[in-house]
Amino acid sequence: MRVAVLSLIEAAGAETGALRGYLPIGGRSLLRHQIGLALSLGARRIIVMAEAISGELVALQHFAESGGAQFHVVATARALVPLLAPEDDVIVLGDGLLAMPDTLRELIEAGPVVLTLPVETALPLGFERIDINHAFAAAMRFPGRIAAGLADLPPEWNAQSALLRLAVQGRVAQRNVPAALLDDGRWGILRDEDEAHLAERRWLRLHTRFAGAGDATPGERAAIALVDRFGPAMLHAGTRPALVGIAAGVLGLLGGGAGWLGNFAIGFVLIGLAWLVERIASLLGQVERDSLLASGIARRGVALFHLLIDAGLITLAGWRSTLPDVPSVPTGAGFFAPLLLVGGARLAVLVLPQRQWARWISDRLAIAVLLMGASVFLPFDAAIGVAVIALFGACLFTLQFGTIPTETGPTAGAAPNLQLTTRQ
């Protein structure tokens, strides 16, 4: 059985009663992050070293048990002994450790190991010394038989420090954690609220990356910037991605209502903002999934929402058209050019996935702003017609005369992955 040993002992700074494990990152405690890590690594038993049981610890117990793991709270190192069988595969995460899940998984799954850092770099950051050259990187994995030595130690010993000494004496292999992980925030020990606030922003930026840094459209970049700026406050306030998604839907309805009342420019802007808010909701949802704070199942309905956004833009543009006022023009003719424009923008991404400009013209915020500008400053129907001709002309020219960038490797020829990804 794989067993995870976590800790809720160390104080968070000088503040009385505050514990490192309860420091908030993204609206969830550090201990909650670590329990998510343990479950993702396949731990079927989670043991938390704690001196007292709190309401939050009980809530974390329910979460762990809902993930299929047994949950135990023990106060002393000796109490660990009956919970760790010799054949168990034990993973220990240090008090206050915040690590990116994919990074930790790569280092831990290689086999029994004590992860280390250079002592001159690690000690000022709060890591524990092992010897003259190495510090403990706050994560290790070893066979359960090593923990049997806890029964021979004084009860006042810190359990994780004792397990570290036993693992070193048991000649568990040591492996260095790349120092670059400390520099960019993928690995660290958080000791107080100030360090937690600084680490939180770096942690959020690590998660808010689109696949291919140069591929993000202006609207996507705006969503990333807003999440980087306001994401921590939103998550601490308990604003979940689903609630932000509802706000996007409300904005879309307001945009449709404004267009129905004849305020087309406002309607276009509101629908564009609805798409932007939905992108923010998707980013927040991806952050929670990548950090193992929420289900790995992506939010459903995003593709349908984008179709509704497109339908809203086409509808408002059709209402804005003056073609129905021209004699002998059939009913509904005003919707034809907007349908070609929005549909062509979708088609361009599928036909020319490696072209940056093709992705840019699929940015619904950009399309909404352009439609708003055409509605206010230009002959609307003529502007839409010219835009359609320019779009299809650019696609045909690129397909006929352009050189499509090629990729090598196993992903060659694949459509671009628009999902959010963590930085490797």
Side-chain angles (χ1 to χ4, degrees):
M1 178 186 293
R2 176 163 284 185
V3 182
V5 179
L6 315 178
S7 179
L8 189 61
I9 299 292
E10 298 292 338
E15 185 177 350
T16 304
L19 298 172
R20 287 184 187 180
Y22 288 150
L23 290 173
I25 297 291
R28 311 292 180 91
S29 68
L30 267 176
L31 188 60
R32 170 66 178 79
H33 283 261
Q34 291 188 353
I35 291 175
L37 282 171
L39 291 174
S40 73
L41 291 170
R44 310 319 302 164
R45 177 181 294 144
I46 296 175
I47 305 169
V48 177
M49 304 296 305
E51 295 178 347
I53 296 178
S54 64
E56 183 170 354
L57 197 55
V58 172
L60 292 175
Q61 175 182 355
H62 295 325
F63 167 73
E65 291 174 346
S66 68
Q70 303 172 25
F71 191 87
H72 303 269
V73 178
V74 298
T76 65
R78 288 183 177 177
L80 272 176
V81 176
L83 296 175
L84 300 177
E87 65 276 10
D88 284 343
D89 182 15
V90 181
I91 294 175
V92 178
L93 302 181
D95 209 335
L97 174 68
L98 177 66
M100 292 289 282
D102 56 342
T103 301
L104 177 67
R105 186 178 298 109
E106 180 181 352
L107 293 169
I108 285 291
E109 291 290 7
V113 65
V114 174
L115 297 178
T116 63
L117 287 163
V119 70
E120 63 276 3
T121 302
L123 286 186
L125 299 177
F127 293 92
E128 182 178 354
R129 180 191 291 272
I130 296 177
D131 54 37
I132 192 171
N133 295 316
H134 302 95
F136 178 42
M140 59 183 169
R141 175 186 172 191
F142 54 80
R145 56 180 172 76
I146 287 180
L150 290 174
D152 302 325
L153 298 177
E156 65 271 11
W157 270 52
N158 178 282
Q160 292 199 346
S161 294
L163 288 172
L164 172 61
R165 304 305 165 191
L166 291 170
V168 172
Q169 292 170 12
R171 300 189 180 279
V172 175
Q174 296 185 22
R175 187 179 306 121
N176 285 329
V177 172
L181 300 182
L182 298 175
D183 298 332
D184 61 19
R186 282 182 285 171
W187 197 281
I189 287 283
L190 307 184
R191 295 170 291 182
D192 53 44
E193 286 193 8
D194 291 337
E195 290 184 355
H197 288 316
L198 291 174
E200 184 175 53
R201 292 202 172 275
R202 291 193 300 174
W203 168 84
L204 200 59
R205 291 190 190 102
L206 286 170
H207 287 291
T208 52
R209 297 287 190 270
F210 283 87
D215 291 342
T217 68
E220 290 168 347
R221 291 182 185 276
I224 291 172
L226 289 170
V227 170
D228 285 347
R229 176 66 181 85
F230 300 107
M234 294 171 65
L235 292 172
H236 281 297
T239 305
R240 303 268 72 87
L243 184 60
V244 182
I246 292 173
V250 171
L251 280 173
L253 291 175
L254 290 175
W260 177 260
L261 295 175
N263 298 314
F264 300 109
I266 295 175
F268 285 129
V269 170
L270 287 175
I271 289 181
L273 290 176
W275 178 86
L276 176 63
V277 172
E278 190 284 321
R279 290 288 81 202
I280 293 173
S282 289
L283 277 166
L284 291 175
Q286 190 68 40
V287 167
E288 290 199 337
R289 289 191 296 274
D290 287 349
S291 300
L292 310 176
L293 300 177
S295 170
I297 302 175
R299 292 186 309 114
R300 298 179 179 179
V302 172
L304 176 60
F305 186 86
H306 288 182
L307 285 175
L308 292 175
I309 289 290
D310 288 350
L313 292 173
I314 293 168
T315 301
L316 260 65
W319 290 344
R320 172 63 179 82
S321 174
T322 58
L323 288 178
D325 299 333
V326 178
S328 74
V329 172
T331 302
F335 294 91
F336 183 66
L339 179 62
L340 286 178
L341 179 63
V342 176
R346 275 183 170 267
L347 184 62
V349 179
L350 299 175
V351 175
L352 301 168
Q354 291 89 2
R355 293 293 182 179
Q356 180 69 13
W357 65 264
R359 287 208 59 218
W360 279 41
I361 62 175
S362 71
D363 188 314
R364 300 307 186 270
L365 179 62
I367 291 177
V369 170
L370 291 175
L371 289 173
M372 181 272 293
S375 177
V376 174
F377 301 110
L378 299 172
F380 187 76
D381 292 296
I384 297 298
V386 170
V388 170
I389 293 173
L391 171 60
F392 282 89
C395 290
L396 290 171
F397 181 86
T398 302
L399 290 170
Q400 184 70 34
F401 302 106
T403 302
I404 303 298
T406 58
E407 298 180 5
T408 59
T411 60
N417 180 10
L418 302 188
Q419 297 295 323
L420 304 177
T421 184
T422 56
R423 206 169 94 185
Q424 299 297 321

